Amino acid sequence: MCLGVPGRIEKILNDDDPVFTVGLVNFGGVTREVNLAGVKDPKVGDWVVVHAGFALNRLKEEEAMEVFEYLEKISEYGRMEIEEG
Amino acid sequence: MKYVSEYRNAETAGRYAEAIAAAVTGPWKIMEICGGQTHSIVKYGIDRLLPDELTLIHGPGCPVCVTPVEMVDQAVRLASMEGIVFCSFGDMLRVPGSTDDLMGVKSGGGDVRVVYSPMDAVAIAENNPDREVVFFAVGFETTAPVTAAAVLQAERLGLGNFSMLVAHVLVPPAMELILSGKENVVDGFLAAGHVCTVMGYREYEPMAEKYGVPIVVTGFEPLDILEGILMCVRQLERGTTSVENQYVRVVTRDGNVTAMDMIRRVFQVTDRKWRGLGTIPDSGLKLRKRYAAFDAGRKFGVGGHSVEESESCMAGSVLMGRIKPGECPAFGTECTPERPLGAPMVSAEGACAAYYRYRPYGNPGGESA
Ligand code: SF4
């Protein structure tokens, strides 16, 4: 139900009122019209997470690797704790 | 697909499972409060990767499942009316009301249409000025901004033939209900990633402190869930009770302020009945007075009745984490996705449906059988 799918903005159709700004978003090849009211200053090329035709937020690309780095981080802490202890 | 498939990496998942096993002394019970997470957990067998000391409990994280019978009955009445085009997300169609479901109305000739977005329902209203178009607004905080956007759009277009039946529910009051219960068994929470994408996680901070539970905002993919579990377990083992954010690529502490403003502009908080759980104070959204013209219940005079829920469905106990779906006597016998007794058997994110699909033989999973 709350499924949000990441996609990339291909085109922005601006509106005077940002609540009605619409963009074309590409989801792995399939393009859909999406309401971009929830994204501040949307730009072509931005990744957004879309749910039911609405972009919930921008996807932060720098943070996207965190899930892979967390294990290294905690095993490093682990070592530090052991060395300090 | 980028930003999806890499979070299903089996090798990293295995390393997470090892890290969790190494960290747990337990026993701990962690509840996920998002149907998307429940679906992933059962589908990928994440609970089976975990040590016995750790149990995952599936909370009331599916808005379809908690939509009260009364609301489904109202939807059925509206959809049966002459001249109405009734638009709904697909997973509401088989949710049983007290006598019929929307699928029944559709096969009986009613104009029931499945839409991907409430915006599609607005477009249908725009293109069919001689018909009344009603949208069934079901969902958590995740869906509320787009429902609000649909109301604003219909207002701007001056559509007098668009209205909605609003069944929106809010997650934190349900978590509070679970935590404050005498029989509460939950030691820690995985909070719903996309609900927090909209709302942020400030409102969980007082809850974590008051009830002494760690709360980890978590995404949906297998690695997200495993990382969320590891973060939660590390807190439980250390005895800390903070709110942490696993889903940093999308969620911020303050949430999406614009989206929250849209919700506030159109809706106000109200008490709401949850299927299986009863009425929870301040746990739903309804249209503000200013937008009363878009209220389908008012417009067509449906509502105001109340019904008893089926006694053979144990959805309440499933949603509170007291039993696993396979422990319900009706599971897989009287109750199947084709002939559901309760809503958790309908939605792909309902715990009963997820177990039926991936564990049809009723293995409790997680708890030792
Ligand atoms: S298996 Fe069916 S009857 Fe039992 S709790 Fe789930 S939905 Fe209700």
Side-chain angles (χ1 to χ4, degrees):
Chain A
M1 182 81 206
C2 297
L3 204 72
V5 187
R8 212 163 152 264
I9 301 180
E10 263 181 2
K11 193 174 175 182
I12 297 170
L13 315 163
N14 266 318
D15 193 286
D16 306 338
D17 185 342
V19 167
F20 303 106
T21 292
V22 168
L24 292 180
V25 177
N26 188 322
F27 304 94
V30 185
T31 306
R32 264 189 182 279
E33 227 178 68
V34 168
N35 179 311
L36 295 176
V39 183
K40 221 177 180 170
D41 304 324
K43 304 222 164 35
V44 169
D46 285 350
W47 281 86
V48 287
V49 174
V50 176
H51 164 71
F54 186 89
L56 297 176
N57 222 342
R58 204 176 251 118
L59 191 147
K60 289 174 276 180
E61 294 186 64
E62 322 83 69
E63 273 85 358
M65 291 305 287
E66 293 253 321
V67 68
F68 300 96
E69 287 154 12
Y70 182 72
L71 283 169
E72 323 301 332
K73 234 175 14 198
I74 61 167
S75 50
E76 236 167 74
Y77 283 142
R79 265 200 302 279
M80 264 157 38
E81 275 164 28
I82 292 167
E83 279 163 20
E84 277 166 20
Chain B
M1 204 159 112
K2 196 171 176 212
Y3 296 123
V4 175
S5 47
E6 57 266 54
Y7 302 108
R8 297 179 184 171
N9 181 303
E11 195 203 312
T12 316
R15 291 186 51 212
Y16 266 109
E18 281 167 27
I20 292 167
V24 170
T25 59
W28 305 115
K29 287 187 158 72
I30 297 177
M31 176 180 269
E32 86 274 358
I33 197 88
C34 155
Q37 291 167 347
T38 304
H39 186 91
S40 280
I41 287 167
V42 182
K43 177 174 176 187
Y44 295 103
I46 290 173
D47 48 347
R48 293 175 166 167
L49 293 176
L50 302 177
D52 291 343
E53 295 80 11
L54 196 58
T55 308
L56 296 183
I57 309 180
H58 317 305
C62 159
V64 171
C65 304
V66 300
T67 299
V69 186
E70 286 87 349
M71 228 31 133
V72 179
D73 286 349
Q74 286 175 33
V76 165
R77 281 176 61 198
L78 286 166
S80 313
M81 284 181 189
E82 199 66 45
I84 286 186
V85 181
F86 194 87
C87 301
S88 167
F89 293 128
D91 38 5
M92 284 311 294
L93 262 55
R94 297 207 80 110
V95 174
S98 46
T99 51
D100 201 356
D101 58 24
L102 288 168
M103 191 63 104
V105 177
K106 190 175 162 70
S107 44
D111 195 347
V112 178
R113 302 189 195 175
V114 171
V115 291
Y116 156 76
S117 165
M119 291 305 193
D120 300 343
V122 176
I124 294 173
E126 199 182 359
N127 296 329
N128 296 276
D130 52 330
R131 306 283 301 276
E132 283 290 339
V133 176
V134 178
F135 174 68
F136 197 3
V138 173
F140 285 141
E141 293 91 328
T142 321
T143 319
V146 65
T147 313
V151 172
L152 296 172
Q153 175 83 331
E155 182 190 41
R156 181 161 95 142
L157 295 171
L159 299 179
N161 64 330
F162 178 79
S163 59
M164 51 175 63
L165 185 61
V166 182
H168 276 298
V169 280
L170 304 171
V171 171
M175 288 167 72
E176 184 118 28
L177 176 89
I178 291 166
L179 286 170
S180 60
K182 273 197 220 74
E183 298 164 48
N184 173 43
V185 293
V186 178
D187 300 305
F189 270 110
L190 304 185
H194 288 150
V195 169
C196 297
T197 303
V198 174
M199 304 303 287
Y201 50 85
R202 276 174 189 276
E203 54 187 329
Y204 298 108
E205 289 166 0
M207 205 188 300
E209 199 182 307
K210 180 171 173 193
Y211 297 99
V213 287
I215 300 178
V216 181
V217 178
T218 304
F220 299 74
E221 294 299 337
L223 289 189
D224 289 321
I225 295 168
L226 283 162
E227 185 180 27
I229 293 170
L230 178 56
M231 291 167 86
C232 195
V233 163
R234 285 170 58 88
Q235 282 212 54
L236 287 167
E237 295 290 340
R238 281 198 304 255
T240 56
T241 57
S242 336
V243 178
E244 280 185 291
N245 182 13
Q246 180 276 326
Y247 203 31
V248 280
R249 64 185 183 279
V250 193
V251 174
T252 59
R253 180 165 180 259
D254 292 329
N256 186 333
V257 180
T258 323
M260 282 193 271
D261 281 346
M262 288 167 74
I263 299 176
R264 258 180 241 125
R265 208 162 129 189
V266 174
F267 297 113
Q268 68 187 79
V269 172
T270 183
D271 297 348
R272 177 68 36 83
K273 188 166 170 186
W274 292 49
R275 194 169 190 152
L277 301 182
T279 301
I280 308 179
D282 295 336
S283 69
L285 294 176
K286 65 173 184 189
L287 287 161
R288 286 192 184 279
K289 268 218 184 74
R290 175 155 191 238
Y291 296 102
F294 295 102
D295 181 345
R298 235 173 97 129
K299 192 170 180 180
F300 300 102
V302 297
H305 78 302
S306 121
V307 286
E308 292 296 315
E309 289 176 15
S310 148
E311 282 188 8
S312 41
C313 173
M314 302 185 69
S317 300
V318 172
L319 298 177
M320 295 288 274
R322 287 197 280 269
I323 63 164
K324 295 269 175 180
E327 295 169 58
C328 168
F331 178 88
T333 54
E334 274 169 84
C335 180
T336 61
E338 288 70 42
R339 304 195 57 183
L341 281 183
M345 189 54 101
V346 179
S347 163
E349 293 171 10
C352 300
Y355 274 71
Y356 186 85
R357 177 146 175 221
Y358 299 110
R359 306 198 181 152
Y361 304 110
N363 172 8
E367 301 242 67
S368 48

Coordinates of all heavy atoms in Angstrom, one line a residue, chain B residues 205-272:
Chain B
E205 N 9.8 10.4 18.9 CA 10.8 10.6 20.0 C 10.2 10.5 21.4 O 10.7 9.8 22.3 CB 11.6 11.9 19.7 CG 12.5 11.6 18.5 CD 13.1 12.9 17.9 OE1 12.9 14.0 18.5 OE2 13.9 12.8 16.9
P206 N 9.1 11.3 21.6 CA 8.5 11.2 23.0 C 8.0 9.8 23.3 O 8.0 9.3 24.4 CB 7.3 12.2 22.9 CG 7.2 12.8 21.6 CD 8.5 12.3 20.8
M207 N 7.5 9.1 22.2 CA 7.0 7.7 22.4 C 8.1 6.8 22.8 O 7.9 6.0 23.8 CB 6.4 7.3 21.1 CG 5.3 6.2 21.2 SD 4.8 5.5 19.6 CE 4.2 7.0 18.8
A208 N 9.2 6.9 22.2 CA 10.4 6.0 22.5 C 10.8 6.2 24.0 O 11.1 5.3 24.7 CB 11.5 6.3 21.6
E209 N 10.7 7.5 24.4 CA 11.2 7.8 25.7 C 10.1 7.3 26.7 O 10.4 6.7 27.7 CB 11.4 9.3 25.8 CG 12.2 9.7 27.0 CD 12.4 11.2 27.1 OE1 12.8 11.8 26.2 OE2 12.1 11.7 28.2
K210 N 8.8 7.6 26.5 CA 7.8 7.3 27.4 C 7.7 5.8 27.7 O 7.5 5.4 28.8 CB 6.4 7.9 26.9 CG 5.3 7.6 27.8 CD 4.0 8.4 27.3 CE 2.8 7.9 28.1 NZ 1.6 8.4 27.4
Y211 N 7.7 5.0 26.6 CA 7.5 3.6 26.8 C 8.8 2.8 26.8 O 8.8 1.6 26.9 CB 6.6 3.1 25.7 CG 5.3 3.7 25.7 CD1 4.9 4.7 24.8 CD2 4.3 3.2 26.6 CE1 3.7 5.3 24.9 CE2 3.0 3.8 26.7 CZ 2.7 4.8 25.8 OH 1.5 5.4 25.9
G212 N 10.0 3.5 26.7 CA 11.3 2.8 26.8 C 11.5 1.8 25.8 O 11.9 0.7 26.0
V213 N 11.2 2.2 24.5 CA 11.4 1.2 23.4 C 12.3 1.9 22.3 O 12.1 3.1 22.0 CB 10.1 0.8 22.7 CG1 9.4 -0.2 23.6 CG2 9.3 1.9 22.3
P214 N 13.2 1.2 21.7 CA 13.9 1.7 20.6 C 13.0 1.7 19.3 O 12.2 0.8 19.2 CB 15.1 0.8 20.4 CG 14.8 -0.4 21.1 CD 13.8 -0.1 22.2
I215 N 13.1 2.7 18.5 CA 12.3 2.8 17.3 C 13.2 3.1 16.1 O 13.9 4.1 16.2 CB 11.2 3.9 17.4 CG1 10.2 3.6 18.6 CG2 10.4 3.9 16.1 CD1 9.1 4.6 18.8
V216 N 13.2 2.2 15.1 CA 14.2 2.4 14.0 C 13.3 2.6 12.7 O 12.6 1.7 12.3 CB 15.1 1.2 13.8 CG1 16.1 1.5 12.7 CG2 15.9 1.0 15.1
V217 N 13.4 3.8 12.1 CA 12.8 4.0 10.9 C 13.4 3.2 9.8 O 14.6 3.3 9.6 CB 12.9 5.5 10.5 CG1 12.2 5.8 9.2 CG2 12.3 6.4 11.6
T218 N 12.7 2.4 9.1 CA 13.2 1.3 8.3 C 12.6 1.3 6.9 O 11.4 1.4 6.8 CB 13.1 -0.1 9.0 OG1 13.7 0.0 10.3 CG2 13.8 -1.2 8.2
G219 N 13.4 1.0 5.9 CA 12.9 0.8 4.5 C 12.2 -0.5 4.3 O 12.0 -1.3 5.2
F220 N 12.0 -0.9 3.0 CA 11.2 -2.1 2.7 C 12.0 -3.3 2.1 O 11.5 -4.4 2.0 CB 10.3 -1.8 1.5 CG 9.3 -0.7 1.8 CD1 9.8 0.6 1.9 CD2 8.0 -1.0 2.1 CE1 8.9 1.6 2.2 CE2 7.2 0.0 2.5 CZ 7.6 1.3 2.5
E221 N 13.2 -2.9 1.5 CA 13.9 -4.0 0.8 C 14.6 -4.9 1.9 O 14.8 -4.5 3.0 CB 14.9 -3.4 -0.1 CG 14.3 -2.6 -1.3 CD 13.4 -3.5 -2.2 OE1 13.6 -4.7 -2.2 OE2 12.6 -2.9 -2.8
P222 N 14.9 -6.1 1.5 CA 15.4 -7.1 2.5 C 16.6 -6.5 3.3 O 16.7 -6.6 4.5 CB 15.9 -8.3 1.6 CG 14.9 -8.2 0.5 CD 14.6 -6.8 0.2
L223 N 17.6 -5.8 2.6 CA 18.7 -5.3 3.3 C 18.3 -4.2 4.2 O 18.9 -4.0 5.3 CB 19.8 -4.8 2.3 CG 20.6 -5.9 1.6 CD1 21.7 -5.2 0.9 CD2 21.0 -7.0 2.5
D224 N 17.4 -3.4 3.8 CA 16.9 -2.3 4.7 C 16.3 -2.9 6.0 O 16.7 -2.5 7.1 CB 15.7 -1.5 4.1 CG 16.1 -0.7 2.9 OD1 17.2 0.0 3.0 OD2 15.4 -0.6 1.9
I225 N 15.5 -4.0 5.8 CA 14.9 -4.6 7.0 C 15.9 -5.2 7.9 O 15.9 -5.0 9.1 CB 13.8 -5.6 6.6 CG1 12.7 -4.9 5.8 CG2 13.3 -6.4 7.7 CD1 11.7 -5.8 5.1
L226 N 16.9 -5.9 7.3 CA 17.9 -6.5 8.1 C 18.8 -5.5 8.9 O 19.1 -5.7 10.0 CB 18.8 -7.4 7.2 CG 18.2 -8.7 6.8 CD1 18.9 -9.4 5.6 CD2 18.2 -9.7 8.0
E227 N 19.1 -4.4 8.2 CA 19.8 -3.3 8.8 C 19.0 -2.7 10.0 O 19.5 -2.5 11.1 CB 20.3 -2.2 7.8 CG 21.2 -1.2 8.5 CD 21.6 -0.1 7.5 OE1 20.9 0.2 6.6 OE2 22.7 0.5 7.8
G228 N 17.7 -2.5 9.7 CA 16.8 -2.0 10.7 C 16.8 -2.9 12.0 O 16.9 -2.4 13.1
I229 N 16.7 -4.2 11.7 CA 16.7 -5.1 12.8 C 18.0 -5.1 13.6 O 18.0 -5.0 14.8 CB 16.4 -6.6 12.3 CG1 15.0 -6.7 11.7 CG2 16.6 -7.6 13.4 CD1 14.8 -8.0 10.9
L230 N 19.1 -5.0 12.9 CA 20.4 -5.0 13.6 C 20.5 -3.7 14.4 O 20.9 -3.8 15.6 CB 21.5 -5.1 12.5 CG 23.0 -5.0 13.1 CD1 23.2 -6.1 14.2 CD2 24.0 -5.1 12.0
M231 N 20.1 -2.6 13.9 CA 20.1 -1.4 14.7 C 19.3 -1.5 15.9 O 19.6 -1.0 17.0 CB 19.7 -0.2 13.8 CG 20.7 0.2 12.7 SD 20.0 1.3 11.4 CE 20.4 2.9 12.2
C232 N 18.1 -2.1 15.7 CA 17.2 -2.2 16.9 C 17.7 -3.2 17.9 O 17.7 -2.9 19.1 CB 15.8 -2.7 16.3 SG 14.5 -2.5 17.5
V233 N 18.3 -4.3 17.4 CA 18.9 -5.3 18.4 C 20.0 -4.7 19.2 O 20.2 -4.8 20.4 CB 19.3 -6.5 17.6 CG1 20.3 -7.4 18.4 CG2 18.1 -7.3 17.2
R234 N 20.9 -3.9 18.5 CA 22.0 -3.3 19.2 C 21.5 -2.3 20.3 O 22.1 -2.3 21.3 CB 22.9 -2.6 18.2 CG 23.8 -3.6 17.4 CD 24.5 -2.9 16.2 NE 25.4 -1.9 16.6 CZ 26.7 -2.0 17.0 NH1 27.2 -3.2 17.0 NH2 27.4 -1.0 17.4
Q235 N 20.5 -1.6 20.0 CA 19.9 -0.8 21.0 C 19.3 -1.6 22.2 O 19.6 -1.3 23.3 CB 18.8 0.1 20.5 CG 19.2 1.3 19.6 CD 18.3 2.4 19.8 OE1 17.9 2.9 20.9 NE2 17.8 3.0 18.7
L236 N 18.6 -2.6 21.9 CA 18.0 -3.5 22.9 C 19.1 -4.1 23.8 O 19.0 -4.1 25.0 CB 17.2 -4.6 22.3 CG 15.8 -4.2 21.7 CD1 15.2 -5.3 20.8 CD2 14.8 -3.7 22.8
E237 N 20.2 -4.5 23.2 CA 21.3 -5.1 23.9 C 22.0 -4.1 24.8 O 22.5 -4.4 25.9 CB 22.3 -5.8 23.0 CG 21.7 -7.0 22.3 CD 21.4 -8.2 23.2 OE1 21.9 -8.3 24.3 OE2 20.5 -9.1 22.8
R238 N 22.1 -2.9 24.3 CA 22.8 -1.8 25.1 C 21.8 -1.2 26.1 O 22.3 -0.4 26.9 CB 23.2 -0.7 24.1 CG 24.5 -0.9 23.3 CD 25.0 0.4 22.8 NE 24.1 1.1 22.0 CZ 24.1 1.2 20.6 NH1 25.0 0.6 20.0 NH2 23.2 1.9 20.0
G239 N 20.5 -1.4 25.9 CA 19.6 -0.8 26.8 C 19.2 0.6 26.5 O 18.8 1.4 27.3
T240 N 19.4 1.1 25.2 CA 19.1 2.4 24.9 C 17.7 2.4 24.2 O 17.2 1.4 23.7 CB 20.1 3.0 23.9 OG1 20.2 2.2 22.7 CG2 21.5 3.2 24.5
T241 N 17.1 3.6 24.2 CA 15.7 3.7 23.6 C 15.6 4.9 22.8 O 14.8 5.8 23.0 CB 14.7 3.8 24.8 OG1 15.0 4.9 25.6 CG2 14.7 2.5 25.6
S242 N 16.4 5.0 21.7 CA 16.4 6.2 20.8 C 15.6 5.9 19.6 O 15.3 4.7 19.3 CB 17.7 6.7 20.4 OG 18.7 6.3 21.3
V243 N 15.3 7.0 18.9 CA 14.7 6.8 17.5 C 15.9 6.9 16.6 O 16.7 7.9 16.6 CB 13.7 7.9 17.2 CG1 13.2 7.8 15.8 CG2 12.6 7.9 18.2
E244 N 16.1 5.9 15.7 CA 17.2 5.9 14.8 C 16.6 5.9 13.4 O 15.5 5.4 13.2 CB 18.1 4.7 15.0 CG 19.1 4.8 16.1 CD 20.0 3.6 16.1 OE1 19.5 2.5 16.4 OE2 21.2 3.8 15.8
N245 N 17.4 6.3 12.4 CA 16.9 6.3 11.0 C 17.8 5.4 10.1 O 18.9 5.7 9.8 CB 16.9 7.7 10.5 CG 16.4 7.8 9.1 OD1 15.8 6.9 8.6 ND2 16.7 9.0 8.5
Q246 N 17.2 4.2 9.8 CA 17.9 3.4 8.8 C 17.8 3.9 7.4 O 18.7 3.7 6.6 CB 17.4 1.9 8.9 CG 18.0 0.9 8.0 CD 17.4 0.9 6.6 OE1 16.2 1.1 6.4 NE2 18.3 0.6 5.6
Y247 N 16.6 4.5 7.1 CA 16.2 4.8 5.7 C 16.7 6.2 5.3 O 15.9 7.0 4.8 CB 14.7 4.6 5.6 CG 14.1 4.3 4.3 CD1 14.9 3.6 3.3 CD2 12.9 4.8 3.9 CE1 14.3 3.3 2.1 CE2 12.3 4.5 2.7 CZ 13.0 3.8 1.8 OH 12.5 3.5 0.5
V248 N 18.0 6.4 5.5 CA 18.5 7.8 5.3 C 18.4 8.3 3.9 O 18.5 9.5 3.6 CB 20.0 8.0 5.8 CG1 20.0 8.1 7.3 CG2 20.8 6.8 5.4
R249 N 18.4 7.3 3.0 CA 18.3 7.8 1.6 C 17.0 8.5 1.2 O 17.0 9.2 0.2 CB 18.7 6.7 0.6 CG 17.7 5.5 0.5 CD 18.3 4.4 -0.4 NE 17.4 3.3 -0.6 CZ 17.2 2.3 0.2 NH1 17.9 2.3 1.4 NH2 16.4 1.3 0.0
V250 N 16.0 8.3 2.0 CA 14.7 9.0 1.7 C 14.2 9.8 2.9 O 13.5 10.8 2.7 CB 13.7 7.9 1.3 CG1 12.5 8.6 0.7 CG2 14.2 7.0 0.3
V251 N 14.4 9.4 4.1 CA 13.7 10.0 5.3 C 14.6 11.0 6.0 O 15.8 10.8 6.2 CB 13.3 8.9 6.3 CG1 12.8 9.5 7.6 CG2 12.3 7.9 5.7
T252 N 14.0 12.1 6.4 CA 14.7 13.1 7.3 C 13.9 13.3 8.5 O 12.7 12.9 8.5 CB 14.8 14.5 6.6 OG1 13.5 14.9 6.3 CG2 15.6 14.4 5.3
R253 N 14.5 13.8 9.6 CA 13.8 13.9 10.8 C 12.6 14.8 10.7 O 11.5 14.5 11.3 CB 14.8 14.5 11.9 CG 14.2 14.7 13.2 CD 15.3 15.0 14.3 NE 14.7 15.2 15.6 CZ 14.5 16.4 16.2 NH1 14.9 17.5 15.5 NH2 14.0 16.5 17.4
D254 N 12.6 15.9 9.9 CA 11.5 16.8 9.8 C 10.5 16.4 8.8 O 9.4 16.9 8.8 CB 12.0 18.2 9.4 CG 12.8 18.8 10.5 OD1 12.5 18.5 11.7 OD2 13.7 19.6 10.3
G255 N 10.8 15.4 8.0 CA 9.8 14.9 7.0 C 9.7 15.9 5.8 O 10.5 16.8 5.7
N256 N 8.7 15.7 5.0 CA 8.4 16.5 3.9 C 7.4 17.6 4.2 O 6.2 17.4 4.2 CB 7.9 15.6 2.7 CG 7.8 16.4 1.4 OD1 7.6 17.6 1.4 ND2 7.9 15.7 0.3
V257 N 8.0 18.8 4.5 CA 7.1 19.8 5.1 C 6.0 20.3 4.1 O 4.9 20.5 4.5 CB 8.0 21.0 5.4 CG1 7.2 22.2 6.0 CG2 9.1 20.6 6.4
T258 N 6.3 20.3 2.8 CA 5.3 20.7 1.8 C 4.2 19.7 1.8 O 3.0 20.1 1.8 CB 5.9 20.7 0.4 OG1 7.3 21.2 0.5 CG2 5.1 21.6 -0.5
A259 N 4.5 18.4 1.8 CA 3.5 17.4 1.8 C 2.6 17.5 3.1 O 1.4 17.3 3.0 CB 4.1 16.0 1.7
M260 N 3.3 17.7 4.2 CA 2.5 17.8 5.5 C 1.6 19.0 5.4 O 0.4 18.9 5.9 CB 3.5 17.9 6.7 CG 4.1 16.6 7.1 SD 4.9 16.7 8.7 CE 6.5 17.2 8.2
D261 N 2.0 20.1 4.8 CA 1.2 21.3 4.7 C -0.1 21.0 3.9 O -1.2 21.4 4.2 CB 1.9 22.4 4.1 CG 2.8 23.1 5.1 OD1 2.7 22.9 6.3 OD2 3.7 23.9 4.7
M262 N 0.2 20.2 2.8 CA -1.0 19.8 1.9 C -2.0 19.0 2.7 O -3.2 19.2 2.6 CB -0.5 19.1 0.7 CG 0.2 19.9 -0.3 SD 1.1 19.0 -1.5 CE -0.2 18.4 -2.5
I263 N -1.5 18.1 3.5 CA -2.4 17.2 4.3 C -3.2 18.1 5.3 O -4.4 18.1 5.4 CB -1.6 16.2 5.2 CG1 -0.9 15.2 4.2 CG2 -2.6 15.4 6.1 CD1 0.0 14.2 5.0
R264 N -2.5 19.0 5.9 CA -3.1 19.9 6.9 C -4.1 20.9 6.3 O -5.1 21.2 6.9 CB -2.1 20.7 7.7 CG -1.9 20.1 9.1 CD -0.8 20.9 9.9 NE 0.3 20.0 10.2 CZ 1.6 20.3 9.9 NH1 1.9 21.4 9.2 NH2 2.5 19.4 10.2
R265 N -3.8 21.3 5.1 CA -4.7 22.2 4.4 C -6.1 21.6 4.1 O -7.1 22.2 4.3 CB -4.1 22.6 3.1 CG -4.5 23.9 2.5 CD -3.5 24.3 1.5 NE -4.1 24.7 0.3 CZ -3.5 25.0 -0.9 NH1 -2.2 24.8 -0.9 NH2 -4.1 25.4 -1.9
V266 N -6.1 20.3 3.8 CA -7.3 19.6 3.3 C -8.0 18.8 4.4 O -9.2 18.7 4.5 CB -7.0 18.7 2.1 CG1 -8.2 17.9 1.7 CG2 -6.5 19.6 1.0
F267 N -7.2 18.2 5.3 CA -7.7 17.3 6.3 C -7.6 17.8 7.7 O -6.7 18.6 8.0 CB -7.0 15.9 6.2 CG -7.2 15.2 4.9 CD1 -6.2 15.0 4.0 CD2 -8.5 14.8 4.5 CE1 -6.3 14.4 2.8 CE2 -8.7 14.1 3.3 CZ -7.6 13.9 2.4
Q268 N -8.4 17.2 8.6 CA -8.2 17.4 10.1 C -8.2 16.0 10.7 O -8.8 15.1 10.2 CB -9.2 18.4 10.7 CG -10.6 17.8 10.7 CD -11.6 18.9 11.2 OE1 -12.0 19.8 10.4 NE2 -11.9 18.8 12.4
V269 N -7.6 16.0 11.9 CA -7.5 14.7 12.6 C -8.8 14.4 13.3 O -9.5 15.3 13.8 CB -6.3 14.8 13.7 CG1 -6.3 13.6 14.6 CG2 -5.0 15.0 13.0
T270 N -9.1 13.1 13.3 CA -10.4 12.7 13.9 C -10.2 11.3 14.5 O -9.3 10.6 14.2 CB -11.5 12.6 12.8 OG1 -12.7 12.3 13.4 CG2 -11.2 11.6 11.7
D271 N -11.2 10.9 15.4 CA -11.1 9.5 15.9 C -11.5 8.6 14.8 O -12.3 8.9 14.0 CB -12.1 9.4 17.1 CG -11.8 10.3 18.3 OD1 -10.7 10.8 18.3 OD2 -12.6 10.4 19.2
R272 N -11.0 7.4 14.8 CA -11.3 6.5 13.7 C -11.3 5.1 14.3 O -10.5 4.7 15.1 CB -10.2 6.6 12.6 CG -10.3 5.7 11.4 CD -11.5 5.9 10.5 NE -12.0 7.2 10.2 CZ -11.5 8.0 9.3 NH1 -10.4 7.8 8.6 NH2 -12.1 9.2 9.0

